[in-house]
Amino acid sequence: MKIMSNEQLVVSYRDALKSGKEKEWIKILKQEIERRGLKPIKNR
């Protein structure tokens, strides 16, 4: 995986979810987010 900052990773994940096209990419990004202990979705 390309090295990304935490912010880039979360933004990429959100964009991928919005497009909904690349299921495998969404899965990879989600795994990396969980590995880093980040929260990709803002609390409302």
Side-chain angles (χ1 to χ4, degrees), residues 5 10 12-13 15 18-19 28 34 37:
S5 70
V10 170
S12 295
Y13 179 70
D15 288 345
K18 284 180 185 176
S19 72
I28 292 168
E34 289 172 352

Side-chain angles (χ1 to χ4, degrees), residues 9-38:
L9 183 62
V10 170
V11 168
S12 295
Y13 179 70
R14 289 181 187 164
D15 288 345
L17 283 179
K18 284 180 185 176
S19 72
K21 294 180 181 177
E22 298 182 41
K23 302 294 182 190
E24 186 65 27
W25 183 238
I26 292 170
K27 181 179 159 187
I28 292 168
L29 291 171
K30 185 174 182 179
Q31 289 172 347
E32 183 64 19
I33 286 170
E34 289 172 352
R35 190 177 71 77
R36 294 186 191 189
L38 303 173

